[in-house]
Amino acid sequence: MSAQDNGPNCGLSDDRFYHADSEAGFAESIPQSTPQTRHPAYKLAFRDTDFLLREELRPVRFQLELLKPEMLLDEAGVGSTLVMYGSARIPSPETADAKVEAAKNGSEYDQLVASNLAAKAKYYTEAYKLAKLSGEKAIIEDGKRQFVVCSGGGPSIMEAANKGASDAGAESIGLNIILPHEQAPNTYVTPYLSLNFHYFALRKMHFLMRARAVAVFPGGFGTFDEFFELLTLIQTGKMKPIPILLFGKDFWTRVVNFEAIAEEGTISKKDLDLITWCETAEDAWSAIADFYDLPG
């Protein structure tokens, strides 16, 4: 008997069961409305948002938040990323003077902070230039795009990264996170690569799963967290070495005494070699090219 004798959908390679989206359609097409069908208990589990948000379902939400970005980035042909960390508060060069002006009537402390942030506007420019450089290289290997720019999707240094890639005609990734205060992706993130997270832990995993280089610009607690976790992963051998491009030696050596940590014996002197100091986008790309033996 041929497959045709059993109907049009009975080939040997055809699925024997309906897909979940079909089953969901069947459930929604039920004509009768009864106390049973209206009750939340009757909802298909994967369509029941209230159920998925229950405390007991946290492990499932972890799995979903790990799986969804991985699938989308794989489908987008992203082989590796150039991750860019940095402050959400550093102004662009175009807005730096306005920030200083706005603080003129404030306290001395407010004026100092505004002046310090404005002085760091140069790093917005360098982040933009590095992302643009990477986008212009358009490196393809094994049929996948390499060194795709990936930021936290927000303002300031993150915006500069996505803008640089966009101006190079390249797509870029934004890994946003839901926070109690309003946050939205910057307008330069490629829309279908604009991802959103509930869990910081899963977001940080996705920053590094495809990372082949990480550029770290001056930043606050979030940047410190991401930077030191990366150092720890490589120092302990949980992650293979990649270029860690640290921009702003004056800033970092003022806020963190790396040499003192080594002298105290809580890290080895050689652990400091994990860091590549950079001041310009050209410095950073040169370090990446040397590490991976890429054309200049």
Side-chain angles (χ1 to χ4, degrees), residues 106 165 225:
D225 178 38

Side-chain angles (χ1 to χ4, degrees), residues 102-116:
K104 274 189 174 180
N105 295 325
S107 66
E108 288 187 15
Y109 180 81
D110 291 338
Q111 293 177 44
L112 174 64
V113 169
S115 176
N116 285 340

Side-chain angles (χ1 to χ4, degrees), residues 193-213:
L193 298 177
S194 182
L195 308 173
N196 204 7
F197 289 83
H198 172 63
Y199 299 106
F200 267 111
L202 273 298
R203 179 177 181 250
K204 289 195 291 182
M205 279 190 67
H206 279 290
F207 269 129
L208 298 181
M209 284 170 64
R210 283 176 162 79
R212 294 300 176 270

